[in-house]
Amino acid sequence: VVTGCNTGEMKVYNYHMVGEHPPYSCLQTVESTDPEPVTSLNVSRSGRLLIAASTNTASETTEGHVCYLWGVNGHNSHEILDHRLDIAEARYATFGNTSDDLILGTLGSHKCAVIDTYTGKSIHTMVNPPGTNNYIKNHAVFNFTDDLVLNDGVLWDFRTNTAIHKFDKLNNTVSGVFSPNGFELIINTELWDLRTFKLLNTINTLENCLLKFNHSRDVMYGLSHIKQDVHDHDPSYKQILGPFESTFKTFVAAHDYPTIGSFDVGKQIIDMSFCRRDILLATVESTIEEFTHTWTGGSVVKVYMVGRTKSSRADDEDDDDDDDDDEDDDNESDKDDDDDLGLGDLDTELFTDNSQEDDEEESDGPDESEGEDEEEDEDSDRMAFSVLTDSEDDTQGVLHR
């Protein structure tokens, strides 16, 4: 699991071994002494490349934004991440869906660029015509065959650098994503036909949601943006994506996108990502003070098992206990040793970084783990297990590969 922090660092965790690798700093790649928060992380489909987006919150222009391309090496390598190149002025960047060769960078509400991954040079820069939609959370996206681009409500054929169509603006926040079927576009609650540019359907359950597809593209996750008037007071919210409400939704990625269910994690969600086998998903979660709209306490990274409830896992553990009744005392001694190492029940936090205590500029908030066990017991069927926590008050993005 890789997390991005307010300090400009990326931290790598191996939750199987309950260990943390040395952090990787984005500050080493540019001439800067001030912390530049990491606002998003995106991994390529092959899992071999990573883009970290960072921003200077004191800057109101795109010059305060930059994305960093990193290579992802094997767990046995001395350096798990190695810096490749920088993408200047990019507020957000993502990879193509068919290969690692292309990067799509969002350079502002009206401009995006397709960039060669290996040279860092722009292949095409697409500047929207006047009168575009100015979505608050706009970020450019590829379709699933990497021949179309959507940026701020304008559909582009990037191969010819041609604007094809501008969709009507029916919301202020969400800029939209392509459907995996290749024929539809989802912008907030509206489902558009890419062949006729006509409105097909309105799906109210998608309102104000950032939509993410799992790797097999048969399940869609919806994260509800916190309304803009709630986070105008805090510069931490100036990131392109998030923060989100504490409940995320799941949908069948087909036809009219019926709802599978909704899951309340108990804290506001900052980011979410999936493993490539779609059996685990990771979230960054935090708490926002209701009246001042600022962070309280710290952030926590959790890994959830998809399709398995805590109650079903408890049944499996009971079966394991019955099988172990005849074990000798040596095994009991081994278990005690494991407990001393913190390798106990997967429902507990296995790693905590208390580095916030060393940072005088960080506010003193309540401990993030307080009351967590009690909250989880109240929701025993929640589809989750908590694996690790990040350092308090600094986690911004999350990646799981």
Side-chain angles (χ1 to χ4, degrees):
V1 177
V2 182
T3 64
C5 305
N6 274 341
T7 58
E9 292 181 328
M10 294 182 295
K11 297 183 179 180
V12 182
Y13 299 93
N14 185 331
Y15 68 82
H16 291 295
M17 299 177 63
V18 197
E20 177 185 0
H21 296 272
Y24 297 84
S25 177
C26 293
L27 300 180
Q28 297 173 356
T29 67
V30 293
E31 295 181 0
S32 175
T33 57
D34 297 327
E36 297 178 341
V38 177
T39 55
S40 69
L41 295 173
N42 281 305
V43 67
S44 66
R45 191 160 180 83
S46 71
R48 297 175 181 173
L49 295 171
L50 166 70
I51 294 177
S54 183
T55 182
N56 183 349
T57 56
S59 174
E60 297 295 333
T61 66
T62 56
E63 284 74 13
H65 302 276
V66 62
C67 288
Y68 309 97
L69 178 66
W70 297 76
V72 181
N73 305 311
H75 294 289
N76 295 327
S77 302
H78 178 67
E79 295 288 338
I80 294 180
L81 302 179
D82 64 274
H83 176 251
R84 302 290 177 85
L85 54 87
D86 297 346
I87 306 172
E89 300 185 21
R91 303 173 59 200
Y92 179 85
T94 186
F95 294 96
N97 292 298
T98 59
S99 73
D100 295 356
D101 297 339
L102 300 176
I103 294 173
L104 179 59
T106 303
L107 309 181
S109 295
H110 307 297
K111 185 167 66 172
C112 64
V114 177
I115 300 162
D116 185 284
T117 300
Y118 304 102
T119 66
K121 295 181 179 180
S122 176
I123 299 173
H124 286 303
T125 298
M126 290 158 278
V127 181
N128 286 355
T132 47
N133 293 335
N134 293 314
Y135 292 115
I136 295 170
K137 297 294 185 179
N138 173 66
H139 60 289
V141 292
F142 275 120
N143 69 340
F144 285 91
T145 54
D146 294 340
D147 51 7
L148 297 176
V149 169
L150 179 70
N151 184 42
D152 201 39
V154 178
L155 182 67
W156 289 82
D157 183 340
F158 96 86
R159 298 166 299 181
T160 61
N161 205 24
T162 304
I164 301 173
H165 181 76
K166 177 184 175 297
F167 292 92
D168 294 337
K169 181 180 180 180
L170 300 177
N171 83 100
N172 291 321
T173 305
V174 181
S175 58
V177 296
F178 291 93
S179 170
N181 65 24
F183 304 114
E184 297 167 351
L185 182 67
I186 308 170
I187 303 179
N188 198 38
T189 61
E190 290 75 46
L191 186 63
W192 298 90
D193 192 324
L194 287 174
R195 296 161 293 187
T196 65
F197 306 126
K198 294 185 180 298
L199 183 63
L200 293 174
N201 196 5
T202 299
I203 307 170
N204 293 328
T205 52
L206 302 182
E207 183 176 7
N208 208 36
C209 284
L210 170 72
L211 301 178
K212 292 191 173 195
F213 295 92
N214 64 355
H215 285 269
S216 59
R217 299 169 184 168
D218 55 359
V219 176
M220 183 173 71
Y221 291 78
L223 301 169
S224 298
H225 288 284
I226 292 178
K227 294 187 182 301
Q228 182 70 8
D229 57 355
V230 172
H231 53 80
D232 276 342
H233 306 277
D234 192 346
S236 300
Y237 290 108
K238 300 304 180 183
Q239 61 198 70
I240 260 188
L241 303 182
F244 307 99
E245 303 287 352
S246 62
T247 300
F248 68 87
K249 308 171 187 176
T250 55
F251 307 88
V252 177
H255 190 45
D256 57 350
Y257 301 92
T259 301
I260 299 174
S262 59
F263 305 89
D264 189 352
V265 301
K267 299 179 181 179
Q268 282 76 20
I269 300 171
I270 309 302
D271 200 2
M272 174 185 288
S273 190
F274 318 98
C275 76
R276 286 188 288 168
R277 292 189 295 166
D278 294 331
I279 59 174
L280 300 173
L281 68 86
T283 61
V284 180
E285 301 169 16
S286 189
T287 303
I288 300 171
E289 210 282 329
E290 182 178 0
F291 299 104
T292 63
H293 312 307
T294 56
W295 302 110
T296 60
S299 300
V300 58
V301 178
K302 291 186 180 181
V303 179
Y304 295 85
M305 180 174 289
V306 178
R308 190 180 186 188
T309 64
K310 287 183 64 177
S311 57
S312 66
R313 189 168 67 255
D315 293 339
D316 292 344
E317 292 173 354
D318 290 340
D319 293 340
D320 292 339
D321 291 341
D322 292 339
D323 292 338
D324 291 342
D325 284 344
D326 296 332
E327 294 277 337
D328 56 23
D329 293 338
D330 290 339
N331 289 337
E332 294 180 1
S333 177
D334 291 341
K335 182 179 182 300
D336 292 339
D337 293 340
D338 287 346
D339 290 340
D340 292 338
L341 294 172
L343 305 179
D345 186 355
L346 285 175
D347 287 330
T348 63
E349 296 176 356
L350 300 185
F351 183 89
T352 303
D353 180 359
N354 294 318
S355 60
Q356 183 187 5
E357 298 175 359
D358 299 329
D359 190 348
E360 296 179 355
E361 296 181 359
E362 295 287 354
S363 61
D364 292 328
D367 185 71
E368 195 67 17
S369 61
E370 290 181 2
E372 183 167 337
D373 291 338
E374 179 180 351
E375 293 175 3
E376 292 189 359
D377 289 341
E378 292 176 355
D379 190 5
S380 61
D381 287 334
R382 195 168 67 196
M383 189 173 63
F385 59 88
S386 174
V387 174
L388 54 89
T389 66
D390 199 338
S391 57
E392 292 187 353
D393 228 9
D394 69 351
T395 305
Q396 286 292 314
V398 63
L399 157 75
H400 181 275
R401 68 178 293 273

